[in-house]
Amino acid sequence: MIEDEELQRDLATLAVAPVGELQATGDGWLPFRLVDPAGVPVEAVSVFFHDLQAAGRSEATLRSYGMDLLRWFRFLWAIGVGWERAGRVEARDFCRWMQVAGKPARAHWRHPEVRPAPAATVVPYAPSVRAHAETVLRGFYDFHLDAGSGPLMNPFPLDRARRGRRAHAHHNPMEPYRDERTGRYRPTVPSRVPRAVPDAEFNEIFARLPSHRDRALVAFYISTGARASELLSATQGGVDPGRQLIAVVRKGSRVVQELPASTDAFVWLRLYQAQFEGLVPRGRRQPLWWTVRAPLTPLNYHAAHRIFERAVAAAGSAATLHALRHTAAYRMAEDPHLPLTDVQFVLGHALLTTTQIYVTPRQEAVVRRVLAHHAQQTAKAAERVIPSPAPGYRPETLRVLFGGAP
């Protein structure tokens, strides 16, 4: 039976304060910890992080999970419910709050002088963000349910249609398998076609890059299809110009993999290395990418992202750094001499179905071909000769029927 306070909870007037924090500790045993408004670490989250770390999850995964847990705990602190007493109603209200209330308005960390958008224009959380949060919180409570340290029922249950029957009980063998372990409050995430950067737009962005290092970075991104963090993990000993290979650490598996790159990428890399000869430490295990301003330090993800943002803004484009990976994938997938399994290996996809999204035609290519089709049809219509009417028809009658001169 639903209690009175649950029926009277008004989410429209609920104010979720940005209290608490996900702190980076710098400790390898616990890279991140969640603290409450009083600065006290939330032990339930720390134990969950220990379990994730034991399962081989990276620090980036711990941070991503921690941000979703911080959002959930802030909601619980706002409604005055402890995490161990949260039930289905709290989970339902939290998913509704994310869908309707939207992101809190605050200044961007890079541009604090810019005022945040008013509350009326705040955009709700994207379906992908809400789906990720639902998955993280369901895993969090599953862990404490198994450990006996949480509620007796998971506040984020599976879908009603999934319970009480065998998975894939009525699966059509002619269709691919789908994950039927869908949460009840998990939103439907629309499938999006990855955005690639057109060739002319990419050339304009590349021309705006100010240094050899930046040109080498972008050339490797566009030819290897590596993720931004993966390419930055390359070391000086991982570059083999003779074989045109560069070794990177894969994001998920943390396995070192050699990726083939274009000749231009190694040319720009050599120019960058010659420019910094004697300025950066030398060694096979030393980072390959360094900052260009003193003090010289290894280049990190945020700096690389900002480098590309400046070039994109100068070119008047809206491309992102991750779009270079999509562009490289499209270029490789469109090559008839390159098998799709090779593209899968280079991109590091676990499933071939993930790589198959790049077989979908690019929007700009479709628009270009359809416009060419319309132009061709117009040219054919202009060349079409209208036959003269057969003798014996009265011109004024034809004029009434067809309009204009017969």
Side-chain angles (χ1 to χ4, degrees):
M1 183 175 181
I2 302 177
E3 300 178 357
D4 294 339
E5 60 267 17
E6 295 172 344
L7 289 174
Q8 297 174 0
R9 183 177 297 152
D10 188 4
L11 298 179
T13 59
L14 179 65
V16 178
V19 295
E21 184 183 5
L22 182 68
Q23 296 178 345
T25 62
D27 183 6
W29 297 102
L30 184 63
F32 296 94
R33 64 183 177 190
L34 182 66
V35 297
D36 61 13
V40 179
V42 181
E43 188 63 25
V45 176
S46 298
V47 175
F48 180 57
F49 283 169
H50 291 160
D51 188 72
L52 292 176
Q53 191 180 45
R57 302 298 187 268
S58 64
E59 292 188 7
T61 301
L62 296 183
R63 183 184 182 278
S64 176
Y65 280 35
M67 296 304 295
D68 288 323
L69 288 167
L70 175 62
R71 192 180 297 117
W72 165 246
F73 271 82
R74 283 175 174 174
F75 179 82
L76 294 178
W77 293 329
I79 62 177
V81 176
W83 74 271
E84 69 282 356
R85 296 189 296 109
R88 303 284 170 86
V89 176
E90 284 72 29
R92 178 203 64 190
D93 290 346
F94 173 71
C95 296
R96 292 174 59 213
W97 171 78
M98 286 190 66
Q99 182 178 0
V100 179
K103 301 179 182 179
R106 58 178 179 268
H108 196 275
W109 64 274
R110 283 202 190 99
H111 309 286
E113 70 280 358
V114 180
R115 292 186 176 182
T121 61
V122 172
V123 180
Y125 288 98
S128 58
V129 177
R130 292 186 279 121
H132 188 268
E134 190 273 342
T135 301
V136 170
L137 295 176
R138 180 150 44 88
F140 171 75
Y141 279 100
D142 275 343
F143 166 75
H144 284 285
L145 185 63
D146 294 339
S149 54
L152 298 179
M153 294 182 63
N154 194 325
F156 296 87
L158 295 174
D159 189 17
R160 294 186 181 92
R162 171 64 179 86
R163 302 195 312 272
R165 63 181 178 88
R166 179 174 58 87
H168 308 294
H170 303 284
H171 173 69
N172 184 352
M174 301 301 294
E175 297 180 356
Y177 281 92
R178 297 179 300 175
D179 185 12
E180 296 190 4
R181 294 183 59 82
T182 303
R184 182 191 298 183
Y185 304 127
R186 183 182 180 86
T188 300
V189 181
S191 58
R192 298 178 297 178
V193 177
R195 182 187 183 277
V197 184
D199 294 342
E201 185 177 342
F202 172 77
N203 294 336
E204 182 66 23
I205 295 173
F206 193 84
R208 304 284 181 168
L209 296 172
S211 66
H212 294 325
R213 181 208 58 184
D214 302 342
R215 299 183 190 98
L217 264 175
V218 174
F220 274 108
Y221 279 133
I222 201 66
S223 61
T224 62
R227 299 176 180 88
S229 59
E230 292 176 345
L231 188 59
L232 295 177
S233 67
T235 60
Q236 297 176 14
V239 179
D240 190 346
R243 299 164 57 210
Q244 288 188 222
L245 297 176
I246 182 172
V248 301
V249 179
R250 281 303 185 184
K251 178 183 177 182
S253 62
R254 312 304 299 172
V255 174
V256 178
Q257 180 179 346
E258 291 183 324
L259 300 178
S262 65
T263 305
D264 292 341
F266 287 97
V267 171
W268 290 115
L269 176 63
R270 185 67 192 107
L271 292 174
Y272 153 64
Q273 289 177 328
Q275 185 180 7
F276 281 79
E277 187 69 31
L279 300 178
V280 298
R282 297 289 296 174
R284 293 186 56 83
R285 297 187 178 182
Q286 291 292 338
L288 178 63
W289 309 104
W290 295 76
T291 58
V292 297
R293 295 185 178 90
L296 300 183
T297 57
L299 191 68
N300 58 31
Y301 171 80
H302 297 290
H305 196 277
R306 185 57 183 154
I307 290 168
F308 191 74
E309 277 185 341
R310 286 195 293 264
V312 165
S317 172
T320 61
L321 185 60
H322 192 68
L324 297 180
R325 172 176 167 85
H326 297 317
T327 306
Y330 269 114
R331 291 182 178 183
M332 289 185 285
E334 291 172 354
D335 188 349
H337 303 290
L338 193 62
L340 196 62
T341 51
D342 292 353
V343 182
Q344 176 193 7
F345 176 80
V346 172
L347 296 179
H349 290 159
L351 302 175
L352 186 61
T353 53
T354 306
T355 315
Q356 287 176 343
I357 62 176
Y358 297 105
V359 182
T360 306
R362 288 189 275 183
Q363 178 179 350
E364 58 271 13
V366 173
V367 171
R368 183 178 63 254
R369 289 194 292 266
V370 173
L371 291 179
H373 164 75
H374 292 324
Q376 186 180 14
Q377 294 299 316
T378 303
K380 288 182 178 179
E383 296 174 357
R384 191 177 300 119
V385 179
I386 301 177
S388 302
Y393 286 94
R394 299 173 59 182
E396 59 273 14
T397 302
L398 297 175
R399 188 178 299 108
V400 172
L401 291 175
F402 301 107

